[in-house]
Amino acid sequence: MNTPNREDLDQTWGYLEQGVEKIMRDLNSGMDMQTYMGVYTAVHNFCTSQRAVNASPTNLHSSAGVHRGAHLLGEDLYNNLIGYLSRHLGGLKKESSLHVEEALLAFYIKEWDRYTTAAKYINHLFRYLNRHWVKREMDEGKKYIYDVYTLHLVRWKVDLFDDVQKHVMDGVLKLVEKQRNGETIETAMVKSIVDSFVSLGLDENDSSKSTLDVYRKFFEHPFLEATTAYYQMESKQFVAENSVVEYMKKAESRLQEEQNRVQIYLHQDIHGPLLKTCERVLIQEHAPLLREEFQVLLDNDRQSDLQRMYNLLSRIPEGLDPLRTRFEAHVRRAGSSAVDKIADEGGDSLEPKVYVDALLEVHTQYQNLVNTAFKGEPDFVRSLDNACREFVNRNKVCKSASTKSPELLAKYADSLLRKSAKSAEEADLENKLTAIMTVFKYVEDKDVFQKFYSKMLAKRLVNFTSASDDAETSMIGKLKEACGFEYTNKLQRMFQDMQISKDLNDSYKTWLEGKAESGGVDFSCQVLGTSFWPLNPPGTSFNIPEVIIQTYSRFVEFYNEKHNGRKLTWLWHLCKGDLKANYCKATKVPYTFQVSTYQMAILLLFNDQDSITYEEIERMVGLSKDYLDPSLGVFLKAKVLTITPTGSKPGPGTTLGLNLDFKSKKIRVNLNMAVRAEQKQEIEETHKTIEEDRKLLMQSAIVRIMKARKVLKHVVLVQETIAQIKNRFTPKIPDIKKCIDILLEKEYLERLDGERLGYLA
């Protein structure tokens, strides 16, 4: 086929149309290079023909005239191409009406692929037109002028797509429905349709840019509507026939399927809207039903199903809020019932270990649930904390007061840190101390724990019964981390005093050696700072035994030389010693009695006589009845002493005698035992000091606040006081008001007009 005369428009277009038709219809059979170049040359020749020059109406030789002529010819060529494409696509539209569903999709894809491939070649052939006429038209801001390839896409949309897209989309939706019903489909077919819809999106303001408008309007919207209808029907039917747990599994698998569908053959743009649609239909519309099942799953500890429910409801707005409320109430009930059970079994003599273990068991169970099923989500952690705080501070053991929990917790810590036959291994001990801190975190009255803990620590240190210094230090470190330096300051100073006392005893021995005096009895002493140790002076008079008076006097002399102006208060009720019992006939090796100083004073009286009346003992030892009778009771129970009349209790009119036939399986006999009445009294005293300390703490907080603010409303002062001291304990408003009244009486504060209070410097 020869190249046409460049001056003849009809002949040239006829030649070009044959080439375009060949490419459009029969590209697979190929086109020889000569023909291809012929078409390319024809386009060039036509746009630069003499007619383009002669077409100038003003000046045959002006360059503007040449451009104008070229413009007219370019436009003719462009319009002829539009006419050809419209005719070609019109034929395809008629042909498409012969196909339906999958056959239509196959036809559409086949023709789309052929058309777009041909468009690339035709675009190349018309490159001269693109570079000159099209470019100039676009530069001048003309609308609806596109490069030749884009023109093909525009004509496809106008002449074919707008009429067939609904039928094509119906075919796509039926295919997808088949796949959702479990049938296998040709996913590549849907992907090709998606790609074609995407390709047809052009920016009206800039034809070189593409948009997703066509895809969203004609593919995404119908797809989402069909998805909604499909899953509404399916989920409604499935819920009616199956359990909630089975429905959750179904919803989970359906959501995963849709995600896979996006990855395999849908456009990424639909990912968000599709999942939101599925979540709304599959989860949100059935959320009340799922939440109703939550309590059943909790009661039966179905962790995997709870996790499934969490995963589903976390995908919708505020889906988890009702679950958190129910979870908190459930944990609170579980904690309270666990405590009720042990309270009924233990009665008044509840073991601290049993109590703390019950609290920890509930916490551990639900903490594991939060971490596994609820992925450690902060709001569920907060619900767990709220519930634990409630049942730790308000349960059957605590009754009306919340001070029982910290007291039992401190006692449990004491049992772990005190030397005993059952002392735990170091690693195990550390884990148990960490567990104690877990419960401690929820204790509201931390000042109560501090008071009991410091008293018990003092006893462990004074009696040298600490299981491990490292464990003691570790526990104080944990408390310091939880409550700050001020909380543990006194505890740390107690350790320092013990070290100072050790050095002091060494100095005393050196001092004695310098005096060239014998030591009398083997003696060591702890000198403890009154401000830091929760130890009270004895509540009875006491006559120091002759045997130890010399040692006592020497130490006082030594200490006064070393520290002028300090006063020593001797805590005789905490002192102890060893006595050798040389009188016993039943053993060759004398027994050693481990006794308190009060008990020592009583037994030493029997060095001079075998039996003494109660009145003489009382006069010579100087103890009050409250301290004397329990000490004598221990001796009688251990059969170290006998009483006349037999079977009577120690008191006026009785006589105590030394049991010369005393026998024991142990050589060292411990007679220094705490009496239950003393323990009870000590607990009561501790609670009294707690109340006093709280009053002082509230008063100091009020003064601090008022000193900083000068003038404050009564209500605001109460609120700020609570805020300042709630980390130590939760103050009651009437108690704060009493403290304000006390400070008003002491003239730290004054009442101003209305509800206002002022600070008096």
Side-chain angles (χ1 to χ4, degrees), residues 91-102:
L92 290 182
K93 183 165 67 175
K94 277 185 186 174
E95 208 176 330
S96 72
S97 63
L98 304 174
H99 305 284
V100 290
E101 297 182 6
E102 282 185 57

Side-chain angles (χ1 to χ4, degrees), residues 294 320-330 332 380 383:
F294 182 67
L320 295 170
D321 289 350
L323 263 57
R324 294 188 193 104
T325 309
R326 290 182 188 189
F327 175 70
E328 185 177 324
H330 177 81
R332 195 182 302 161
F380 269 103
S383 295

Side-chain angles (χ1 to χ4, degrees), residues 134-278:
V134 170
K135 183 177 183 299
R136 188 166 59 250
E137 293 290 299
M138 290 171 75
D139 288 347
E140 288 174 5
K142 298 274 180 71
K143 283 196 168 187
Y144 312 117
I145 303 294
Y146 313 96
D147 65 75
V148 170
Y149 180 76
T150 307
L151 176 65
H152 280 71
L153 299 181
V154 170
R155 296 323 303 175
W156 177 278
K157 181 176 182 306
V158 173
D159 296 323
L160 176 67
F161 178 83
D162 287 347
D163 293 310
V164 303
Q165 56 82 17
K166 189 173 185 314
H167 304 299
V168 169
M169 203 56 216
D170 288 344
V172 168
L173 294 175
K174 281 187 179 170
L175 263 189
V176 173
E177 186 175 336
K178 278 185 181 179
Q179 192 186 37
R180 284 173 175 156
N181 291 334
E183 296 180 40
T184 304
I185 64 162
E186 190 66 51
T187 56
M189 195 180 277
V190 182
K191 183 163 178 50
S192 298
I193 298 286
V194 170
D195 292 343
S196 79
F197 278 46
V198 171
S199 300
L200 293 173
L202 298 173
D203 190 334
E204 285 187 9
N205 298 320
D206 184 351
S207 61
S208 63
K209 292 180 182 175
S210 61
T211 70
L212 291 171
D213 293 348
V214 172
Y215 160 79
R216 284 179 183 148
K217 181 179 178 182
F218 296 107
F219 186 95
E220 200 168 286
H221 289 176
F223 191 91
L224 294 177
E225 284 172 10
T227 301
T228 300
Y230 180 86
Y231 282 131
Q232 276 178 336
M233 186 182 292
E234 185 193 63
S235 61
K236 191 176 179 182
Q237 189 177 345
F238 194 91
V239 162
E241 296 170 1
N242 296 274
S243 68
V244 174
V245 170
E246 288 304 312
Y247 175 72
M248 289 196 296
K249 290 176 183 175
K250 180 74 172 175
E252 211 171 37
S253 69
R254 281 305 199 187
L255 288 165
Q256 188 57 53
E257 281 173 27
E258 293 303 323
Q259 279 190 304
N260 295 342
R261 198 161 278 124
V262 174
Q263 299 299 325
I264 296 167
Y265 60 79
L266 297 177
H267 192 272
Q268 276 302 314
D269 184 69
I270 204 174
H271 183 266
L274 178 59
L275 284 186
K276 275 189 179 165
T277 299
C278 294

Side-chain angles (χ1 to χ4, degrees), residues 467-664:
S468 155
D469 283 350
D470 289 344
E472 295 281 9
T473 308
S474 170
M475 186 63 186
I476 290 172
K478 287 176 171 42
L479 290 170
K480 185 177 179 180
E481 192 179 327
C483 297
F485 170 76
E486 191 184 341
Y487 192 84
T488 56
N489 183 29
K490 288 185 178 180
L491 306 180
Q492 288 173 313
R493 287 300 297 265
M494 285 157 70
F495 273 96
Q496 289 173 20
D497 279 356
M498 291 304 290
Q499 185 57 48
I500 292 166
S501 295
K502 192 178 175 186
D503 298 339
L504 194 67
N505 281 311
D506 293 340
S507 301
Y508 175 60
K509 284 174 187 172
T510 309
W511 183 82
L512 276 180
E513 288 166 9
K515 293 273 186 183
E517 294 182 22
S518 63
V521 297
D522 188 12
F523 165 85
S524 69
C525 182
Q526 280 85 49
V527 179
L528 315 172
T530 313
S531 311
F532 310 116
W533 289 75
L535 302 172
N536 299 321
T540 176
S541 56
F542 176 58
N543 300 329
I544 304 166
E546 286 287 334
V547 180
I548 59 172
I549 278 181
Q550 185 188 9
T551 305
Y552 161 77
S553 303
R554 279 179 188 163
F555 186 80
V556 171
E557 183 189 344
F558 156 75
Y559 192 79
N560 287 337
E561 280 181 21
K562 196 169 179 71
H563 300 287
N564 189 21
R566 288 192 185 176
K567 183 190 174 189
L568 287 174
T569 303
W570 291 78
L571 305 178
W572 295 113
H573 59 302
L574 296 176
C575 298
K576 59 183 180 178
D578 289 353
L579 288 177
K580 274 210 175 353
N582 296 311
Y583 66 88
C584 297
K585 303 170 185 175
T587 178
K588 292 176 184 177
V589 180
Y591 290 114
T592 300
F593 292 154
Q594 295 170 286
V595 289
S596 69
T597 314
Y598 295 159
Q599 290 172 325
M600 182 189 292
I602 295 166
L603 286 180
L604 285 172
L605 298 176
F606 290 91
N607 270 336
D608 302 321
Q609 47 195 317
D610 290 347
S611 65
I612 313 171
T613 64
Y614 178 86
E615 288 83 1
E616 284 178 304
I617 293 172
E618 191 175 23
R619 179 179 55 78
M620 287 189 279
V621 175
L623 287 173
S624 66
K625 190 174 171 59
D626 291 341
Y627 286 85
L628 179 60
D629 290 2
S631 297
L632 291 172
V634 171
F635 290 145
L636 292 170
K637 190 176 180 182
K639 297 182 180 174
V640 173
L641 298 179
T642 58
I643 189 166
T644 309
T646 307
S648 58
K649 289 184 179 179
T654 59
T655 302
L656 285 302
L658 199 60
N659 179 14
L660 301 174
D661 296 321
F662 175 78
K663 287 180 185 177
S664 173

Side-chain angles (χ1 to χ4, degrees), residues 242-429:
N242 296 274
S243 68
V244 174
V245 170
E246 288 304 312
Y247 175 72
M248 289 196 296
K249 290 176 183 175
K250 180 74 172 175
E252 211 171 37
S253 69
R254 281 305 199 187
L255 288 165
Q256 188 57 53
E257 281 173 27
E258 293 303 323
Q259 279 190 304
N260 295 342
R261 198 161 278 124
V262 174
Q263 299 299 325
I264 296 167
Y265 60 79
L266 297 177
H267 192 272
Q268 276 302 314
D269 184 69
I270 204 174
H271 183 266
L274 178 59
L275 284 186
K276 275 189 179 165
T277 299
C278 294
E279 285 162 2
R280 177 174 52 78
V281 176
L282 294 172
I283 305 171
Q284 198 155 7
E285 291 180 8
H286 298 282
L289 187 70
L290 266 62
R291 290 176 187 134
E292 285 302 314
E293 189 73 7
F294 182 67
Q295 190 61 53
V296 178
L297 299 180
L298 272 179
D299 291 340
N300 295 294
D301 198 26
R302 300 266 292 277
Q303 288 208 11
S304 58
D305 292 329
L306 285 166
Q307 184 173 1
R308 191 170 281 116
M309 185 177 288
Y310 170 83
N311 290 339
L312 290 172
L313 290 173
S314 65
R315 300 172 78 137
I316 62 171
E318 298 172 7
L320 295 170
D321 289 350
L323 263 57
R324 294 188 193 104
T325 309
R326 290 182 188 189
F327 175 70
E328 185 177 324
H330 177 81
V331 176
R332 195 182 302 161
R333 284 195 303 274
S336 297
S337 61
V339 174
D340 289 353
K341 187 180 175 186
I342 56 156
D344 293 338
E345 291 170 3
D348 292 334
S349 57
L350 181 63
E351 280 288 316
K353 182 182 186 307
V354 174
Y355 178 70
V356 175
D357 283 350
L359 299 179
L360 281 169
E361 190 180 342
V362 175
H363 176 267
T364 304
Q365 178 187 346
Y366 290 105
Q367 188 179 44
N368 291 339
L369 179 66
V370 168
N371 289 339
T372 52
F374 307 144
K375 299 179 181 175
E377 193 227 34
D379 287 328
F380 269 103
V381 172
R382 194 177 300 114
S383 295
L384 174 66
D385 289 346
N386 291 343
C388 291
R389 193 173 294 110
E390 191 63 29
F391 74 72
V392 164
N393 294 288
R394 283 164 282 283
N395 57 51
K396 193 170 184 178
V397 171
C398 299
K399 291 175 185 165
S400 56
S402 61
T403 55
K404 195 69 180 172
S405 272
E407 181 185 328
L408 288 169
L409 190 63
K411 286 179 178 175
Y412 178 54
D414 180 57
S415 70
L416 290 175
L417 293 166
R418 200 173 56 243
K419 274 182 195 167
S420 69
K422 295 179 183 175
S423 288
E425 291 291 322
E426 203 163 317
D428 190 34
L429 178 58

